[in-house]
Amino acid sequence: MATRDRVLSGMRPSGKVHLGNYLGALANWVTLQDSMECFYFVADWHVLTDTSDISEVPRNTIDMAADWLGAGLDPERSTLFIQSLIPEHAELHLLLSMATPVSWLERVPSYKERIEQLHLESPSYGLLGYPVLQAADILMYKANWVPVGIDQVPHIELTREIARRFNHTFRSVFVEPEAKLTEIPKVPGTDGRKMSKSYDNTIELGDAAETIVKKVRPMMTDPARKRRTDPGNPDVCPVFDLHKIFTPEADQQWAANGCRTAGIGCLDCKDALLRHMLPVLEPIRERRTKFAEKPDTIVDVLHAGSDRARAIARATMEDVRSAVTLAP
Ligand code: TRP
Ligand code: SF4
């Protein structure tokens, strides 16, 4: 069998996976398993770039992995692992950091954004260097493709430049990866802003059907529809953004027309959405619940995957050490 292209991606363990994460990344990860050799990991060291409170990280890791498995990541086909169980990432990070000018890192947009968001007066060396750690994560597995959202593209570009520099300076060890952009639908949260844990407006993969109903029914709509008789505009309504994701064309038309003519009320529209949305999410939730009831199994899966990943990381580091031989 011809060797398949390799895919690698990671997610920070910041809690349960919501619809935005699922549609933006995880659903694509699941699909890629059919055609590529996939590595997906819990980016737990990356959490430390934002906070020193690690009390929730082990729990979040299990919750997130339950969502991964529920969504259809298959540990028989994909290697699922935990970054901090592979110390080789840290060694590679050190060597790559020597090949990375500080000025490249200061230009990375996410660095400035984090400083502003978190009001950091004295950002850590680790935060500045976080794209170098990400480069180590990717280059370690010689991944050809990195499925990520558009916000991560500067990090992949930087990874390519670091790989090129290393290969040129020492020996050609690394593959230059490419970002594999998913066409990410606009996923609004229940308040109409982008779905995000920090806005408290999420629908989670683990939410029961009743919970989703309770979140969708009061959802923000086109503010022009104050009364049932006021016509609305689906193009500015977050509920309609969700229809575009879950609802077949004919029913979308029905909702859009009904909205523009005030032929239907917003609750009719939301109930129609729920009729299409819940059956898609139900099997995922059922599977994730079964896994979540057996956290030990999840831990076993992640440790077994980490053993597989570590064997590859060790082989790469042998190449790297022979390219950068220091000790006599
Ligand atoms: N930086 C990514 C994020 O914040 C997570 C991440 C870490 C990652 N290392 C990676 C993604 C390597 C892809 C490849 O979402
Ligand atoms: Fe939004 Fe539907 Fe209400 Fe129109 S009818 S404003 S699309 S919820």
Side-chain angles (χ1 to χ4, degrees):
M1 192 175 83
T3 52
R4 290 172 302 165
D5 274 6
R6 264 196 196 160
V7 164
L8 175 131
S9 198
M11 238 183 240
R12 292 173 189 232
S14 56
K16 299 204 171 97
V17 173
H18 58 67
L19 266 188
N21 310 132
Y22 174 68
L23 297 163
L26 186 51
N28 193 34
W29 291 11
V30 172
T31 309
L32 286 167
Q33 296 181 117
D34 296 336
S35 53
M36 313 229 185
E37 187 188 3
C38 297
F39 293 79
Y40 299 122
F41 75 101
V42 179
D44 53 356
W45 272 335
H46 285 266
V47 172
L48 296 171
T49 58
D50 278 356
T51 175
S52 55
D53 178 6
I54 55 168
S55 56
E56 311 269 289
V57 172
R59 182 73 241 166
N60 285 347
T61 295
I62 290 175
D63 281 342
M64 185 168 81
D67 287 319
W68 288 5
L69 296 165
L73 287 191
D74 172 4
E76 302 280 319
R77 292 193 288 158
S78 296
T79 301
L80 310 180
F81 69 97
I82 298 179
Q83 181 186 38
S84 67
L85 292 179
I86 324 285
E88 283 77 5
H89 288 227
E91 184 183 356
L92 184 55
H93 168 259
L94 172 93
L95 290 172
L96 298 180
S97 75
M98 307 298 178
T100 312
V102 171
S103 60
W104 289 3
L105 296 172
E106 285 168 340
R107 276 203 299 270
V108 172
S110 59
Y111 178 61
K112 293 188 200 109
E113 283 161 21
R114 287 280 181 207
I115 291 176
E116 278 173 28
Q117 270 170 10
L118 305 173
H119 310 289
L120 300 175
E121 288 192 359
S122 174
S124 73
Y125 170 56
L127 181 67
L128 179 67
Y130 132 59
V132 185
L133 181 57
Q134 182 162 354
D137 301 334
I138 298 167
L139 297 177
M140 186 71 88
Y141 302 92
K142 305 190 176 170
N144 310 90
W145 300 103
V146 187
V148 284
I150 193 122
D151 61 308
Q152 295 288 316
V153 169
H155 300 160
I156 312 302
E157 286 303 316
L158 191 75
T159 300
R160 294 167 62 85
E161 287 177 51
I162 295 173
R164 223 174 287 148
R165 253 213 192 192
F166 182 100
N167 287 345
H168 181 77
T169 311
F170 299 103
R171 173 158 33 90
S172 198
V173 173
F174 295 119
V175 171
E176 283 184 39
E178 274 180 63
K180 196 169 196 54
L181 285 180
T182 342
E183 216 182 294
I184 302 178
K186 190 168 158 204
V187 187
T190 48
D191 59 358
R193 291 187 287 177
K194 181 182 151 112
M195 189 177 286
S196 162
K197 188 174 147 74
S198 45
Y199 296 153
D200 198 20
N201 64 359
T202 61
I203 295 170
E204 291 169 358
L205 289 189
D207 281 345
E210 311 89 79
T211 311
I212 300 179
V213 172
K214 278 201 198 106
K215 288 180 175 180
V216 168
R217 293 191 115 220
M219 230 181 115
M220 161 88 186
T221 64
D222 174 3
R225 286 207 83 179
K226 283 199 191 58
R227 277 165 309 215
R228 168 70 180 74
T229 47
D230 295 331
N233 177 4
D235 297 335
V236 300
C237 176
V239 174
F240 199 73
D241 287 327
L242 293 181
H243 269 300
K244 285 189 211 147
I245 296 166
F246 293 102
T247 304
E249 192 58 37
D251 278 8
Q252 276 189 44
Q253 288 291 341
W254 167 85
N257 292 338
C259 178
R260 291 205 169 90
T261 57
I264 61 169
C266 288
L267 268 185
D268 304 322
C269 185
K270 290 167 173 171
D271 284 343
L273 169 65
L274 286 164
R275 271 200 304 282
H276 294 293
M277 189 170 158
L278 293 176
V280 176
L281 298 178
E282 191 54 22
I284 297 179
R285 192 188 67 86
E286 259 175 33
R287 247 183 330 217
R288 85 99 40 217
T289 307
K290 279 209 196 92
F291 284 110
E293 282 163 0
K294 293 179 288 184
D296 296 350
T297 309
I298 296 179
V299 171
D300 288 347
V301 162
L302 292 172
H303 279 256
S306 299
D307 290 343
R308 281 198 331 243
R310 196 178 305 107
I312 296 172
R314 284 199 176 138
T316 301
M317 287 315 294
E318 274 183 28
D319 273 6
V320 169
R321 288 185 208 118
S322 86
V324 191
T325 301
L326 297 170

